[in-house]
Amino acid sequence: MSKFATTSRRGVLRAGLAAGALLPAASLSARAQDGPDPLITEVQDWARYTGAGVDETPYGLPIRFESDVIRRNVPWLTADPISSINFTPIHALDGTITPAGCAFERHHSGAIELAKPDYRLMINGLVDRPLVFTYADLERFPRQSGVYFCECAANSGMEWAGAQLNGSQFTHGMIHNMEYVGVPLKTLLAEAGIRPEGKWLYVEGADASSNGRSIPLEKALDDCMVAFKANGEALRKEHGYPVRLVVPGWEGNLWIKWLRRIEVTPGPVESREETSKYTDTLDNGISRKWTWVMDAKSVVTAPSPQVPVRHGKGPLVITGLAWSGRGAITRVDVSTDGGRNWRTARLAALGQRMAMTRFWLDHLWDGEEMLLQSRAMDETGYVQPTKDALREIRGENSVYHNNGIQTWWVRKDGSAENVEIS
Amino acid sequence: SPALAEPLGLGREALPEEIAAWDVDVMPDGTGLPEGSGDVASGEGLFQEKCAACHGDFAEGLDNWPALAGGEDTLDHKDPVKTVGSYWPHLSTLWDYVHRSMPFGQAQILTPDETYAITAYILYSNYLVDEDFVLSDRNFSEIEMPNAGGFIVDDRPETEYPVFTAEPCMRDCKESVEITMHASVFDVTPTDPADKDK
């Protein structure tokens, strides 16, 4: 009996190997076959019997073999799971659109259930006509669409003091990228009529935390959207159903979910979420406030600690994501030697403003250790800095806005680890 | 505003009662504060009853729950302790946030007078007022928070963007590379058996 290479348990048993026996990495390659493959030479069940009917799954979930592609949380990060965060499995995804079902969540008082008939949106403050809209009203306004990333201000925040969490899901997974449809915020504001003294907006959600934030009027009139659809369907409950704010390029905390009120104000409210939180303390004890924009950033999603190289040396796809809150990604460079030398990766598609960009580098791995890094550039000419370059300016206590270059150490056995390098 | 399109006539006028119910935010200058008052002693009683189970009897914080007092002069230390007293710039934020979003899990149960009293007690816990202090909408703006001057507007356009905007090195960018830190040393990442089966 020959040692048939296969990843299928059934195939392993048929080949006479002990169940669960570790296959040498090389045997995962089609080139290592030394006999006919029973997955080909024997008629398989799925080639003989029928599959599921079209009436079985009115709304489907991923096939069970993909059960590891899920949100994960890190219990020690927060006091409880209600005001907390979980992480998108970016290590296992490709392309740019994040499936809503595994797109990260960040709540301050949990994911609330708010039905469309119960939904109200108020616009008040320095306006000619304070207004109340129902959900049905919102659907009657002219619509727009756009693909944008939503990145938590705290994404990679645990890494300020050094390499801590082992996997791109945990170090970079407070992010998702969806296609939104909704109404331009400026259209709704026009309905109310902004008075000349109105310079800022205060936006808040219907949940107990309210998550109130102040936004300068220029941004609101530029590209903010009151969204009710994401990736083609209604928003998920945990993403703000039925209505959320989309604030392209700006920190995720401003993307108010379950949006219930927009107040036009003469100045910022300086709410809890823009004083106590989402302010960035520098080395000298002074803190930056209103650090709204998320700067250019990237990460290699595979190989990475959760995605070791199991196929041995030879062709290897190095892939990852890049994004910038200041415009389109124009270039991503990848290094396999810790930043000593760089090669420019292929972008899967032209970068779009404030949206994720997928990059691939087709590499021939010699089986030696690698220190993998990626370095994003955006249309302003900004080049993603190293973590040390950021720390030199800010120190280690910023909490938020860590867009430093990530390093994965890939060992000879293909396993990978989150490290920092000199 | 001329920049905006013509109205479509959707929605309806918000009634004063509706605006009053939802528009409860308070600005740094006190705009939005309702009439009312509360003293430290009644605030202490309310705090023990509604807040201390998480935030501690003296607002010092229990377990992982936020400390509301302490941490003076730590902001430039390695691990700054950021509390109402050591960090928050405006008293309005404390009143506004407590009134709207606390206690956690049972928000919007505090009356204005109760919120004034709890706010007074948190100030007292931070040694910012005496034990006989009474906080009201009238003396509210006299309180200055210790870290009021501790914030600057985002200065990345001046301090970072010029530094990080340059054609990057592509070849022989450094002499050598050493690993200086390993995530596995901390070993704090949740593990999932499903990952290993793949």
Side-chain angles (χ1 to χ4, degrees):
Chain A
M1 202 73 188
S2 49
K3 290 178 183 139
F4 295 113
T6 170
T7 52
S8 143
R9 184 162 297 260
R10 179 187 296 268
V12 168
L13 290 169
R14 284 185 184 172
L17 291 172
L22 209 61
L23 296 169
S27 75
L28 290 167
S29 160
R31 294 177 59 188
Q33 297 284 347
D34 55 358
D37 184 346
L39 282 168
I40 297 171
T41 57
E42 296 178 14
V43 176
Q44 302 296 309
D45 287 353
W46 55 83
R48 173 169 290 134
Y49 308 118
T50 55
V54 296
D55 55 349
E56 188 161 303
T57 313
Y59 198 111
L61 288 170
I63 194 165
R64 60 194 170 92
F65 311 124
E66 298 296 315
S67 62
D68 60 316
V69 186
I70 50 173
R71 298 168 181 143
R72 292 195 173 88
N73 67 318
V74 178
W76 56 264
L77 276 178
T78 52
D80 82 324
I82 304 296
S83 180
S84 195
I85 188 85
N86 62 28
F87 300 87
T88 304
I90 56 170
H91 64 289
L93 304 178
D94 212 321
T96 57
I97 294 295
T98 313
C102 65
F104 88 105
E105 304 167 71
R106 202 295 186 233
H107 316 303
H108 293 79
S109 52
I112 59 166
E113 187 174 273
L114 178 52
K116 287 176 183 173
D118 297 335
Y119 179 78
R120 299 290 184 273
L121 175 63
M122 182 184 290
I123 300 181
N124 75 309
L126 298 170
V127 293
D128 298 329
R129 297 169 298 278
L131 293 173
V132 171
F133 299 107
T134 63
Y135 181 82
D137 291 332
L138 295 183
E139 286 198 326
R140 298 173 65 191
F141 282 97
R143 293 174 202 173
Q144 68 172 167
S145 71
V147 176
Y148 302 108
F149 72 83
C150 173
E151 183 184 19
C152 180
N155 200 21
S156 317
M158 299 82 70
E159 304 290 309
W160 270 115
Q164 187 156 224
L165 286 161
N166 215 21
S168 63
Q169 178 170 22
F170 301 105
T171 58
H172 289 74
M174 295 182 193
I175 193 165
H176 56 60
N177 190 70
M178 302 195 196
E179 185 201 37
Y180 294 96
V181 171
V183 178
L185 180 52
K186 64 182 172 191
T187 305
L188 297 181
L189 292 170
E191 211 62 25
I194 301 171
R195 292 193 189 158
E197 318 90 84
K199 302 294 181 206
W200 289 71
L201 298 186
Y202 182 68
V203 283
E204 65 178 4
D207 61 317
S209 82
S210 96
N211 201 63
R213 289 290 309 250
S214 306
I215 299 180
L217 194 57
E218 302 81 66
K219 178 66 174 176
L221 297 180
D222 179 17
D223 58 2
C224 290
M225 190 197 304
V226 172
F228 38 77
K229 294 284 166 68
N231 294 349
E233 61 180 357
L235 295 166
R236 296 292 173 101
K237 174 179 86 169
E238 60 272 30
H239 297 140
Y241 181 94
V243 175
R244 86 173 306 164
L245 197 62
V246 168
V247 189
W250 286 23
E251 61 187 14
N253 181 256
L254 286 149
W255 294 46
I256 311 299
K257 295 184 287 190
W258 316 290
L259 179 70
R260 87 165 188 188
R261 196 171 68 91
I262 299 163
E263 180 182 359
V264 181
T265 56
V269 168
E270 304 254 13
S271 70
R272 187 251 195 183
E273 308 297 333
E274 57 206 20
T275 55
S276 171
K277 307 299 175 193
Y278 308 100
T279 50
D280 316 349
T281 302
L282 303 170
D283 238 5
N284 59 5
I286 298 290
S287 304
R288 290 172 174 165
K289 65 177 180 180
W290 306 344
T291 47
W292 298 308
V293 174
M294 302 306 293
D295 290 327
K297 185 168 175 178
S298 68
V299 64
V300 170
T301 52
S304 64
Q306 294 158 288
V307 192
V309 184
R310 290 193 164 130
H311 54 57
K313 61 186 181 183
L316 166 68
V317 174
I318 299 171
T319 186
L321 292 164
W323 60 94
S324 171
R326 297 174 64 211
I329 290 293
T330 51
R331 182 174 127 192
V332 181
D333 298 329
V334 171
S335 174
T336 57
D337 59 6
R340 296 178 67 197
N341 297 284
W342 298 85
R343 275 181 293 163
T344 298
R346 284 189 297 131
L347 303 185
L350 274 179
Q352 291 183 60
R353 290 173 59 76
M354 290 82 152
M356 276 189 175
T357 299
R358 169 66 55 179
F359 65 86
W360 295 301
L361 183 76
D362 304 304
H363 183 61
L364 264 182
W365 186 38
D366 59 8
E368 295 299 312
E369 287 185 3
M370 293 187 285
L371 290 166
L372 278 183
Q373 296 186 326
S374 62
R375 181 176 70 188
M377 288 177 69
D378 71 21
E379 62 182 310
T380 71
Y382 177 98
V383 182
Q384 183 185 1
T386 63
K387 291 177 183 175
D388 282 339
L390 287 173
R391 291 183 190 120
E392 198 164 308
I393 295 171
R394 305 184 196 172
E396 293 182 3
N397 292 327
S398 280
V399 180
Y400 307 107
H401 292 280
N402 183 352
N403 65 319
I405 289 174
Q406 175 67 44
T407 309
W408 306 126
W409 174 38
V410 181
R411 305 180 188 90
K412 288 182 180 180
D413 67 1
S415 64
E417 187 187 355
N418 176 11
V419 296
E420 295 237 355
I421 58 169
S422 58
Chain B
S1 173
L4 303 176
E6 287 299 305
L8 293 172
L10 293 168
R12 56 137 178 110
E13 190 109 0
L15 300 175
E17 299 90 332
E18 294 170 332
I19 295 173
W22 275 10
D23 181 356
V24 292
D25 61 75
V26 181
M27 310 278 285
D29 66 0
T31 302
L33 276 173
E35 281 183 24
S37 67
D39 56 50
V40 170
S42 47
E44 180 172 17
L46 288 162
F47 198 88
Q48 305 314 321
E49 183 191 328
K50 299 179 191 298
C51 319
C54 297
H55 296 293
D57 287 347
F58 307 100
E60 78 279 17
L62 297 179
D63 303 327
N64 246 346
W65 297 101
L68 309 180
E72 298 85 358
D73 304 318
T74 64
L75 296 182
D76 58 355
H77 293 196
K78 183 164 170 52
D79 291 305
V81 179
K82 292 153 78 164
T83 72
V84 171
S86 71
Y87 193 64
W88 291 34
H90 307 293
L91 186 59
S92 57
T93 312
L94 177 59
W95 199 100
D96 176 68
Y97 183 70
V98 169
H99 184 235
R100 193 206 331 263
S101 298
M102 287 286 135
F104 186 66
Q106 217 186 340
Q108 303 196 65
I109 58 161
L110 298 174
T111 66
D113 284 348
E114 289 174 330
T115 309
Y116 280 109
I118 288 171
T119 304
Y121 179 68
I122 294 171
L123 288 174
Y124 173 73
S125 301
N126 279 287
Y127 306 108
L128 297 175
V129 298
D130 295 327
E131 60 188 329
D132 58 356
F133 178 72
V134 182
L135 181 68
S136 74
D137 56 299
R138 290 175 303 283
N139 69 357
F140 196 90
S141 54
E142 292 164 23
I143 306 291
E144 188 171 345
M145 304 298 281
N147 197 40
F151 294 81
I152 54 170
V153 174
D154 185 5
D155 65 350
R156 285 175 293 175
E158 296 84 50
T159 57
E160 296 187 7
Y161 295 164
V163 181
F164 299 143
T165 305
E167 189 59 30
C169 175
M170 294 297 287
R171 304 218 65 80
D172 303 321
C173 300
K174 39 188 175 181
E175 293 265 311
S176 63
V177 175
E178 304 287 333
I179 294 176
T180 57
M181 271 184 126
H182 291 262
S184 62
V185 172
F186 292 96
D187 195 22
V188 288
T189 311
T191 51
D192 193 325
D195 281 340
K196 302 215 160 57
D197 292 343
K198 290 282 284 191

